[in-house]
């Protein structure tokens, strides 16, 4: 499961340098909107609070190039989360998976799993794949909110937008009830191997790079936005960078610790005025919101008329009408500020028909901050696995 919106526990990070504009050469996973999904702020906040428990508190895009893979994305609800199709086995079985830079495992339900959470999703049939290989090691993943899954490891051919390698996967034989309402079948981790649930397992990108299956050692994220483009035409691009999607050059922010995509955030600003915060953080496709410290959240929202920290709502709320305004919250990394427009702060009405909305920026991240999809859907992000790992960032066109 991609924990799409866990609330209050990590730190934003920013770092430096490099301008580049590598050319297209990879595989794309496209994103398409799923309009039937309903948001649940309290559930999102609960998951966000526990996403990293060990850290202290559409458009069908095709790319015809060797080593390039494009995966179209489904936009769930109003930019709540995103998933795309992945093919596993021979003949291929197709699964809708959440692509998550905040985890490293690839997992999905096995045919033998009989829990309700498994049976309502597409399950992997090992006996139907001629390329299936038994592993047998036990596998388990548990999230801080109590949700989780367990089963065994196996390996098979995994195809992402045309990039195909043999990959170790987790086959869930049991999933908790929390997954029953998940729109996706499982999770596709894009983090580093250091956070694999089973030590020694290599990630998909590790294997793709070793096999020279990708033209560039990168995964590029172009998340669709209901506000910007009706929630259509997003994608993940494996092995390539699409420089038609962003303005100017990419700024490369060094990864300070490999596990999650951790970087240094040098400052936070409101409409260009510094709020004087420096911290470490994570750019996380698996979280919906932006999570900052309580102090930073207060500093941001005190500039917004009508905002408040609601005890009843258990989070920061803002006027829904903010969606029609200009201005931005900026996060400085590698000496450049990248913006979250104020128009994207109203995330979900507190109650149906309410003029007050939950904010897309929440507090509680006293350790690492989280720059989730509220940030990424406004900025093209390239997760670069080069020797000196970094994240290339540029504002979307």
């Amino acid at each position: 499961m991609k924990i799409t919106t866990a609330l209050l526990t990590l730190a934003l990070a920013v770092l430096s340098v490099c301008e580049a504009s590598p050319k297209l050469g990879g595989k794309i996973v496209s994103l398409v909107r799923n309009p039937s999904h309903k948001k649940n702020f309290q559930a999102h906040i609960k998951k966000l609070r526990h996403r990293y428990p060990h850290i202290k508190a559409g458009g069908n895009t095709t790319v015809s190039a060797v080593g390039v893979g494009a995966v179209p994305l489904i936009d769930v609800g109003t930019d709540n989360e995103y998933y795309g199709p992945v093919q596993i086995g021979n003949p291929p079985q197709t699964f809708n998976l959440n692509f998550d830079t905040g985890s490293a495992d690839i997992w999905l339900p096995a045919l033998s799993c009989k829990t309700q959470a498994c049976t309502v999703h597409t399950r992997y049939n090992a006996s139907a794949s001629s390329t299936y290989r038994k592993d047998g090691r036990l596998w388990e993943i548990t999230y801080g909110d109590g949700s989780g899954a367990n089963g065994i490891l196996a390996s098979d051919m995994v195809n992402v937008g045309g990039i195909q390698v043999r990959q170790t996967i987790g086959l869930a034989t049991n999933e908790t009830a929390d997954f029953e309402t998940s729109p996706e079948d499982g999770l596709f981790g894009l983090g580093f191997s250091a956070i694999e649930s089973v030590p020694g397992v290599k990630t998909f990108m590790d294997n793709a790079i070793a096999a020279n299956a990708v033209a560039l050692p990168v995964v590029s994220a172009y998340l669709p936005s209901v506000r910007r483009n009706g929630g259509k035409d997003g994608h993940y691009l494996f092995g390539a960078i699409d420089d038609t999607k962003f303005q100017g050059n990419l700024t490369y922010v060094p990864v300070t610790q490999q596990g999650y995509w951790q970087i240094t955030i040098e400052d936070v600003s409101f409409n260009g005025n510094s709020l004087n915060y420096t911290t470490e953080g994570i750019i996380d496709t698996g979280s919906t919101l932006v999570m900052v410290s309580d102090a930073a959240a207060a500093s941001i929202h005190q500039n917004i008329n009508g905002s408040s920290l609601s005890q009843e709502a258990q989070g920061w709320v803002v006027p829904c009408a903010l969606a029609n305004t200009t201005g931005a919250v900026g996060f400085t990394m590698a000496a450049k500020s990248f913006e979250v427009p104020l128009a994207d702060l109203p995330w979900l009405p507190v109650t149906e028909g309410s003029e007050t909305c939950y904010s897309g920026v929440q507090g509680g991240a006293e350790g690492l901050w989280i720059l989730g999809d509220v940030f990424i859907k406004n900025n093209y992000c390239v997760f670069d696995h080069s020797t000196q790992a970094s994240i290339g960032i540029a504002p979307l066109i």
Side-chain angles (χ1 to χ4, degrees), residues 100-105 188-195 203 259-261 385:
D100 179 17
T101 58
S103 66
D105 296 66
F188 194 110
L190 292 171
F192 294 92
S193 60
I195 56 173
T203 67
Y260 311 114
W261 287 85
H385 290 260

Side-chain angles (χ1 to χ4, degrees), residues 73-145:
L73 296 175
I74 303 295
D75 185 347
V76 179
T78 309
D79 311 337
N80 183 35
E81 60 183 290
Y82 306 90
Y83 63 84
V86 174
Q87 295 184 317
I88 301 176
N90 183 33
Q93 302 171 46
T94 301
F95 303 89
N96 289 322
L97 301 183
N98 251 320
F99 291 81
D100 179 17
T101 58
S103 66
D105 296 66
I106 296 177
W107 70 269
L108 57 152
L111 186 62
S112 59
C113 183
K114 304 302 182 184
T115 65
Q116 179 70 9
C118 289
T119 58
V120 296
H121 292 103
T122 302
R123 293 174 291 170
Y124 170 81
N125 186 350
S127 64
S129 174
S130 64
T131 48
Y132 160 80
R133 290 181 187 171
K134 182 179 179 179
D135 182 306
R137 285 177 289 176
L138 297 180
W139 164 85
E140 181 175 8
I141 192 164
T142 303
Y143 299 97
D145 61 351

Side-chain angles (χ1 to χ4, degrees), residues 4-259:
T4 27
T5 21
L7 165 64
L8 314 161
T9 345
L10 285 83
L12 294 165
V14 179
L15 238 45
S16 74
V17 285
C18 290
E19 291 185 345
S21 164
K23 299 303 178 185
L24 203 60
K27 294 281 178 183
I28 294 178
V29 182
S30 297
L31 300 170
V32 180
R33 188 182 175 207
N34 180 344
S36 63
H37 182 80
K38 295 183 178 180
K39 294 178 178 178
N40 183 326
F41 177 80
Q42 298 303 335
H44 278 8
I45 290 306
K46 181 180 179 182
K47 288 177 180 178
L48 268 176
R49 284 196 175 111
H50 301 286
R51 178 159 168 76
Y52 307 99
H54 61 289
I55 294 180
K56 182 178 179 181
N60 291 322
T61 305
T62 58
V63 177
S64 55
V66 175
V68 177
V71 183
L73 296 175
I74 303 295
D75 185 347
V76 179
T78 309
D79 311 337
N80 183 35
E81 60 183 290
Y82 306 90
Y83 63 84
V86 174
Q87 295 184 317
I88 301 176
N90 183 33
Q93 302 171 46
T94 301
F95 303 89
N96 289 322
L97 301 183
N98 251 320
F99 291 81
D100 179 17
T101 58
S103 66
D105 296 66
I106 296 177
W107 70 269
L108 57 152
L111 186 62
S112 59
C113 183
K114 304 302 182 184
T115 65
Q116 179 70 9
C118 289
T119 58
V120 296
H121 292 103
T122 302
R123 293 174 291 170
Y124 170 81
N125 186 350
S127 64
S129 174
S130 64
T131 48
Y132 160 80
R133 290 181 187 171
K134 182 179 179 179
D135 182 306
R137 285 177 289 176
L138 297 180
W139 164 85
E140 181 175 8
I141 192 164
T142 303
Y143 299 97
D145 61 351
S147 65
N150 60 73
I152 59 173
L153 293 182
S155 78
D156 208 333
M157 302 306 295
V158 173
N159 187 318
V160 182
I163 301 295
Q164 180 171 265
V165 297
R166 176 164 291 281
Q167 178 64 39
T168 298
I169 56 177
L171 300 179
T173 54
N174 180 63
E175 294 182 18
T176 60
D178 309 76
F179 294 97
E180 290 181 19
T181 58
S182 295
E184 67 278 350
D185 301 312
L187 187 90
F188 194 110
L190 292 171
F192 294 92
S193 60
I195 56 173
E196 284 275 5
S197 295
V198 177
V201 173
K202 293 185 179 299
T203 67
F204 179 87
M205 281 302 291
D206 285 339
N207 291 325
I209 293 167
N212 293 317
V214 285
L216 294 173
V218 302
V219 178
S220 302
Y222 176 58
L223 300 187
S225 162
V226 170
R227 182 180 66 84
R228 295 177 67 97
N229 58 9
K232 299 178 181 179
D233 300 329
H235 62 255
Y236 282 102
L237 182 61
F238 284 73
I241 299 168
D242 187 349
D243 57 14
T244 68
K245 302 300 185 188
F246 57 85
Q247 304 174 38
N249 295 319
L250 292 164
T251 296
Y252 280 85
V253 181
V255 170
T256 57
Q257 182 170 320
Q258 293 186 18

